[in-house]
Amino acid sequence: MQRRPRAPMAEEGSGCQVPRLPWAPILRVALPLVLVAVLVYCFLCSQHLAQQRQQRESPGGDIAELQLNHTGRRQDSGLHWQGGPALGRSFMHGPELHQGQLRVQRNGIYRLHIQVTLTNCSSSARTTRPRGASLAVGICSPAARSVSLLRLGFQQRCAVASQRLTPLLRGDTLCTNLSLPLLPSRNADETFFGVQWVHP
């Protein structure tokens, strides 16, 4: 019996060839770009987290606690302040002093507080306090925002103290005025002034 020769079979896929994409060059370019993008994203995330951590650690943000600067005689009704760690409990973080007046560096709502005690004062000696003697706190600069924030009368007291919340803008300078010829106590426990940022 004779075997018939097999008919040659057509090879699979021999019809049309699909061009192969050059993956190696594409990967060489794309992979470093993806890695750079991931690194930049991680860096930005770490910066954001560090900023949030810093805000949590100092929730009050900008803050200042000042003492009376008692160098020289009182020539006008303005009280001049000083601040810094060298003075003991006085400190500043954010606001700055400009010619003895407090200037804020950040917009927001601030809690301001002040206490002024008169020197050589007694409740019975009415002559030490002229009629209408008062302590005032206000925004004195810029002139366009000049406004009174607090006005406290002494009446028959030797000390006045108060606090309030008030919106302030970057660059606002706070001035404190004490009626002449009243003399404030130089004791840092009796006379002090400060602000604390509490809300944007």
Side-chain angles (χ1 to χ4, degrees):
M1 196 180 222
Q2 255 187 345
R3 289 190 178 181
R4 287 187 179 178
R6 281 188 172 181
M9 295 181 72
E11 290 184 19
E12 292 180 18
S14 62
C16 131
Q17 293 205 355
V18 177
R20 293 185 179 181
L21 293 175
W23 288 108
I26 292 174
L27 286 175
R28 271 194 296 260
V29 173
L31 193 58
L33 289 176
V34 169
L35 287 174
V36 168
V38 169
L39 289 174
V40 168
Y41 177 77
C42 290
F43 174 76
L44 293 176
C45 283
S46 68
Q47 292 295 315
H48 180 68
L49 291 173
Q51 186 178 12
Q52 284 184 333
R53 190 180 322 114
Q54 184 179 8
Q55 287 177 348
R56 279 196 305 271
E57 288 170 359
S58 58
D62 293 5
I63 189 169
E65 185 68 26
L66 307 174
Q67 297 176 8
L68 188 64
N69 186 345
H70 46 74
T71 55
R73 297 177 58 194
R74 286 194 73 206
Q75 311 233 335
D76 57 30
S77 63
L79 295 179
H80 298 275
W81 303 94
Q82 60 185 345
L87 300 172
R89 289 175 305 188
S90 177
F91 53 86
M92 285 192 303
H93 176 72
E96 61 184 27
L97 284 170
H98 177 70
Q99 297 177 347
Q101 308 300 329
L102 188 67
R103 179 186 288 163
V104 299
Q105 299 299 312
R106 180 179 178 186
N107 296 348
I109 297 173
Y110 286 78
R111 177 181 290 110
L112 66 88
H113 63 274
I114 190 166
Q115 176 176 307
V116 172
T117 303
L118 301 178
T119 189
N120 299 328
C121 178
S122 70
S123 318
S124 57
R126 297 182 184 187
T127 55
T128 59
R129 295 176 303 284
R131 196 169 185 175
S134 67
L135 170 70
V137 180
I139 300 172
C140 58
S141 176
R145 283 186 43 80
S146 179
V147 65
S148 176
L149 301 173
L150 277 176
R151 183 168 293 280
L152 308 167
F154 281 90
Q155 281 127 30
Q156 302 305 313
R157 296 169 295 175
C158 291
V160 291
S162 186
Q163 64 176 334
R164 69 167 291 173
L165 293 175
T166 188
L168 297 173
L169 298 178
R170 178 185 171 91
D172 282 351
T173 302
L174 302 177
C175 296
T176 53
N177 295 299
L178 178 64
S179 299
L180 289 170
L182 299 180
L183 293 175
S185 169
R186 299 175 178 184
N187 187 328
D189 293 328
E190 298 179 330
T191 300
F192 50 84
F193 174 50
V195 297
Q196 181 180 12
W197 181 91
V198 295
H199 199 272

